[in-house]
Amino acid sequence: PSGRLLDAGAAYGTFLRLANSHYEGMGIEVSQYAASVAKKTFGIDIKVASIEHSPPFPDDYFDGIVMWDIIEHLINPVQALKEVYRMLKPQGYVFVSTDDANNWLPRLLGSKWWALGAPLHLCHFSKQGMKSAFERAGNYAQVDLVSDLRQYTIPEVFEHFGVSYRSSLLAKVGASLGKTPLGSWVINVKRPEQFVAIARKPKRISGKNGEGLS
């Protein structure tokens, strides 16, 4: 409910702007431009760094770390999860959202699936693949997989498909709808191929041979 929070891949800082009313929020972002916009617009502490390459934070530092739609962009996602494990306090949580490449929808769409966007997207996970990545990254206590409920406006839906399928017509329809009363209509969408992985670093205990984790 409170504590120190890291947004790994903070972009323009919109998530941290909301989260900072409850947490001591910090962020890292590979884009110097996006980090500068976040600092200028919201006054948010975002460092230019990568979650894969020794982020500038000490061990056992954060109560929570979020990676919203970031892991599919990484060259070495397992290394990123190792860094997450290092920076989390014992009993701290990490939240990772991404697409399930083994879901029926990507299988149905095949090469037309919108998430296939190399070099923008480099890694794709099934749910089992995500659990395997966590197992390789550290001694996480458990990994839970939950649905990713999101909200979209009607124009955003059209614009999303317009960008994904390089359709100027759909993009124009979305832009036009944004200028009508439909532009304020918000729908809740539980996209079947999206999920959130929630993992926890185990608590530290003392044993005969010194400290350990369980």
Side-chain angles (χ1 to χ4, degrees):
S2 62
R4 193 177 286 139
L5 175 72
L6 176 68
D7 186 354
Y12 300 108
T14 51
F15 172 77
L16 282 177
R17 177 177 66 88
L18 298 173
N20 278 354
S21 61
H22 302 279
Y23 303 95
E24 181 186 348
M26 307 171 199
I28 55 174
E29 168 57 43
V30 296
S31 168
Q32 185 172 358
Y33 171 74
S36 65
V37 170
K39 185 174 183 179
K40 181 178 179 180
T41 306
F42 303 126
I44 292 173
D45 179 15
I46 295 181
K47 302 182 185 300
V48 179
S50 168
I51 188 63
E52 298 171 272
H53 303 117
S54 302
F57 300 104
D59 298 354
D60 301 341
Y61 192 68
F62 291 102
D63 298 281
I65 297 177
V66 298
M67 298 173 66
W68 301 135
D69 297 326
I70 292 300
I71 200 166
E72 62 269 18
H73 298 273
L74 303 180
I75 295 173
N76 193 335
V78 173
Q79 180 59 35
L81 293 177
K82 288 181 179 179
E83 289 292 341
V84 167
Y85 189 90
R86 175 185 69 80
M87 293 186 294
L88 275 178
K89 293 179 181 179
Q91 296 189 287
Y93 285 94
V94 56
F95 300 80
V96 180
S97 64
T98 193
D99 294 315
D100 177 9
N102 197 41
N103 180 265
W104 64 265
L105 182 58
R107 286 173 173 267
L108 176 66
L109 294 175
S111 62
K112 294 187 179 297
W113 182 36
W114 46 76
L116 295 177
L120 182 64
H121 291 170
L122 302 176
C123 299
H124 296 280
F125 291 86
S126 65
K127 290 181 177 179
Q128 184 56 48
M130 179 62 70
K131 287 187 175 182
S132 296
F134 272 103
E135 289 172 1
R136 293 172 60 188
N139 184 32
Y140 285 95
Q142 67 184 80
V143 180
D144 295 322
L145 305 175
V146 300
S147 298
D148 188 0
L149 180 64
R150 304 198 179 196
Q151 292 185 328
Y152 297 94
T153 64
I154 299 298
E156 283 176 336
V157 173
F158 280 90
E159 290 173 358
H160 169 76
F161 285 109
V163 171
S164 298
Y165 294 119
R166 298 179 177 85
S167 170
S168 58
L169 176 60
L170 287 174
K172 289 178 180 178
V173 170
S176 298
L177 288 174
K179 301 174 183 178
T180 70
L182 283 176
S184 60
W185 284 21
V186 176
I187 55 176
N188 294 317
V189 178
K190 190 180 290 185
R191 284 169 49 177
E193 86 285 11
Q194 288 186 323
F195 68 95
V196 177
I198 306 171
R200 193 177 195 185
K201 185 173 180 177
K203 65 180 180 180
R204 192 180 301 276
I205 60 173
S206 297
K208 293 182 179 180
N209 298 321
E211 289 191 333
L213 294 171
S214 72

